[in-house]
Amino acid sequence: MQVHFIAIGGSVMHNLAIALHHKGYQVTGSDDEIYDPALTRLQTLDLLPAEMGWFPEKIHAGLDAVIVGMHARKDNPELARATELGLPLYSYPEYILQQSLHKQRVVIAGSHGKTTITSMILHVLRFNNRVFDYLVGAQLEGFDTMVKLTDNAPVIVIEGDEYPASPTDPNPKFLHYHPHIALISGIAWDHYNVFPTWEVYVEQFEKLADSLPKSGVLIFDETDDMLDVIGKNERLDVRPVPYEAHPHKINNGQTFLTTNDYGDVPLLVFGEHNMKNISGALAVCEELGLTQAQFYRAIQNFKGAANRMETLAKNDKSAAFKDFAHAPSKVEATTKAAKAQFPKRTLVACVELHTFSSLNKNFIGQYAHRLDGADVAVVYYNPHTLAHKRLDAIEPSEVKAAFQRDDLQVFTENEALQQFLLEQKWAQSNLLMMSSGTFGGLNLKELAGKIIKN
């Protein structure tokens, strides 16, 4: 099989390329920019394009498939050549389906928690020596790649997002997987540039629920008001499985699941949102034939997905965490979790406004009161990011008004942000840094190291 990737450097795209390479496929690809870790990983397997750019001559009649990533544009010259030759064209979710037609397909969806829930399921399956394929949106400890495709695995677990499948296909990725089991973790409007209204956003999840086949299973967070409605709609021969946060308690900064039959189960993760994630993961694992005992044994040593409440540094009196949270609902949940885990410590929570939505004046009001769980609330954004995204300039006063917190500290230079953080008193205090970006290239590990010595 000869497969060519248009925009091979994407997070999932390069992992899919590696997975097909491991299957023995002949893989080629192009991109106009590739960064680490994709660059090094592709280079190691001799899959890195010889030069950056788009080359229509790479597209030939001998190709069995051409996979198009979101980084490519509609007028991409390689895409035009593939169309001209009538070659089979796929978005990556469409191709994942082709690779898993004879497998039981499990799709984990939702505005928040889907990466963590998927990671929990994969961890439990591996702990119990199950054979499975997967696609997950973050690098996991103990897993070489974010995509695995084999011929013998009976099941595939897929993290499915609601964003467009490709430059030429505006349909949500998760609709292309045709799941037998679907989990929806919650619905909170985000990505204003893709879904201009709440109603349009909710509609994507309704389509997913309605797409389940007869004997399908819909697992959903019943504490989410919108999901409670969607999940309980009658669907012919589709079984609804509602869940809520798993019973738990916190002792001396550690969370324990409370169970009737297995006692208190110690965890390495924490937060009300993670207790919901655990319940969802447990429901999926039970559908896949695992027992509660098998799940509880495995979940005890789950450390979390990369950049999800990751510990940067800690000592007996303070700790520093970073989290991928950037959407309003995620910022609120992560902040509350950090405070609830260490209620006697001062929490300094800092969020970077980095995405198109978070920097859009029509959307930023969604952040109102989302940092109220922090004792010290901080926002950072880079005016150059606004210019790069061609968005209207935002003044610090407008950010304060949006968050509706008068004591909010707002920074537009990362040096000033770092200096402010280093000047705080960190005995009996924790730091939480939240962003899908890098705070302008701030070395968070180094910063955290200095803080715990403060």
Side-chain angles (χ1 to χ4, degrees):
M1 294 288 289
Q2 296 185 50
V3 180
H4 181 79
F5 285 76
I6 301 177
I8 196 172
S11 177
V12 173
M13 289 284 281
H14 88 272
N15 275 281
L16 177 55
I18 291 171
L20 295 180
H21 171 77
H22 289 325
K23 284 191 74 172
Y25 287 25
Q26 183 178 330
V27 175
T28 58
S30 300
D31 215 321
D32 59 357
E33 55 181 10
I34 302 178
Y35 302 103
D36 273 329
L39 190 149
T40 299
R41 299 177 79 198
L42 290 172
Q43 192 171 42
T44 300
L45 296 172
D46 200 26
L47 298 177
L48 187 69
E51 55 183 315
M52 294 298 113
W54 311 111
F55 304 94
E57 59 270 23
K58 288 185 177 182
I59 309 300
H60 56 85
L63 290 171
D64 296 288
V66 176
I67 304 174
V68 185
M70 275 302 294
H71 179 62
R73 297 183 183 276
K74 290 181 180 180
D75 61 355
N76 184 283
E78 292 188 10
L79 177 57
R81 178 62 175 158
T83 303
E84 178 186 325
L85 291 176
L87 295 174
L89 279 168
Y90 300 92
S91 61
Y92 82 69
E94 289 175 312
Y95 200 75
I96 291 289
L97 174 65
Q98 295 304 308
Q99 292 281 314
S100 58
L101 286 172
H102 303 295
K103 303 178 188 292
Q104 183 180 28
R105 294 181 297 279
V106 180
V107 170
I108 311 302
S111 305
H112 43 251
K114 55 185 175 287
T115 299
T116 298
I117 295 171
T118 307
S119 303
M120 287 175 173
I121 295 166
L122 302 188
H123 173 84
V124 173
L125 290 173
R126 189 181 64 166
F127 184 92
N128 287 286
N129 299 312
R130 294 301 181 97
V131 177
F132 60 96
D133 287 345
Y134 61 84
L135 184 160
V136 63
Q139 192 63 50
L140 307 181
E141 185 176 317
F143 290 81
D144 294 333
T145 60
M146 292 160 56
V147 178
K148 183 180 180 183
L149 296 170
T150 62
D151 293 327
N152 63 323
V155 62
I156 183 169
V157 182
I158 302 169
E159 177 184 343
D161 71 57
E162 62 271 29
Y163 306 115
S166 79
T168 58
D169 183 358
N171 293 302
K173 293 185 184 76
F174 57 39
L175 291 183
H176 288 295
Y177 299 125
H178 298 286
H180 303 99
I181 300 172
L183 179 148
I184 307 179
S185 61
I187 300 178
W189 183 37
D190 190 18
H191 288 262
Y192 176 84
N193 56 321
V194 181
F195 308 106
T197 67
W198 161 254
E199 290 75 18
V200 170
Y201 187 63
V202 171
E203 184 183 4
Q204 313 312 311
F205 295 96
E206 290 178 310
K207 288 178 180 178
L208 175 62
D210 292 341
S211 73
L212 285 165
K214 289 185 178 181
S215 76
V217 179
L218 178 61
I219 301 169
F220 62 96
D221 176 6
E222 66 177 335
T223 66
D224 183 294
D225 291 341
M226 195 68 247
L227 264 183
D228 193 39
V229 174
I230 293 174
K232 292 179 180 176
N233 282 347
E234 287 192 19
R235 296 178 179 86
L236 185 63
D237 292 332
V238 172
R239 179 162 50 89
V241 179
Y243 68 86
E244 58 185 5
H246 196 292
H248 61 283
K249 64 182 181 181
I250 302 172
N251 283 336
N252 297 321
Q254 183 175 14
T255 297
F256 296 80
L257 300 178
T258 57
T259 72
N260 293 327
D261 298 325
Y262 308 101
D264 293 339
V265 179
L267 297 175
L268 299 176
V269 296
F270 60 85
E272 180 80 7
H273 62 301
N274 270 328
M275 300 307 105
K276 291 183 178 183
N277 293 340
I278 284 173
S279 284
L282 172 58
V284 170
C285 287
E286 288 184 302
E287 294 295 333
L288 295 178
L290 291 168
T291 65
Q292 289 190 1
Q294 288 174 311
F295 180 88
Y296 289 132
R297 276 197 298 270
I299 203 66
Q300 295 180 44
N301 57 13
F302 175 73
K303 296 180 180 178
N307 295 316
R308 271 68 176 183
M309 201 60 90
E310 183 177 334
T311 302
L312 296 170
K314 66 177 181 179
N315 58 29
D316 293 340
K317 296 181 179 179
S318 61
F321 305 97
K322 71 171 180 177
D323 194 274
F324 192 70
H326 53 89
S329 61
K330 297 175 185 177
V331 167
E332 181 178 32
T334 305
T335 302
K336 286 182 176 179
K339 184 61 181 179
Q341 194 70 7
F342 302 94
K344 294 182 180 179
R345 292 187 187 179
T346 298
L347 176 62
V348 180
C350 179
V351 61
E352 177 182 14
L353 302 181
H354 178 72
T355 65
F356 183 99
S357 295
S358 66
L359 291 167
N360 192 297
K361 287 188 176 184
N362 293 318
F363 183 83
I364 194 172
Q366 299 290 321
Y367 285 93
H369 301 294
R370 302 293 190 169
L371 281 175
D372 285 1
D375 300 291
V376 179
V378 185
V379 169
Y380 165 80
Y381 69 97
N382 189 332
H384 295 296
T385 304
L386 283 158
H388 178 71
K389 296 180 184 291
R390 298 178 181 178
L391 293 168
D392 293 337
I394 297 176
E395 296 299 323
S397 59
E398 294 177 290
V399 174
K400 279 190 176 185
F403 277 79
Q404 295 189 27
R405 180 155 175 167
D406 293 338
D407 63 346
L408 185 71
Q409 301 290 323
V410 182
F411 295 90
T412 57
E413 297 180 356
N414 64 357
E415 296 91 346
L417 167 64
Q418 179 168 257
Q419 188 59 37
F420 171 80
L421 294 175
L422 290 173
E423 289 172 354
Q424 304 304 301
K425 294 180 180 179
W426 289 103
Q428 299 302 323
S429 296
N430 287 346
L431 173 65
L432 172 61
M433 303 292 284
M434 295 175 283
S435 178
S436 59
T438 64
F439 289 93
L442 204 59
N443 188 326
L444 297 184
K445 275 276 189 185
E446 184 179 289
L447 173 63
K450 291 178 180 178
I451 280 173
I452 67 165
K453 293 178 182 177
N454 193 331

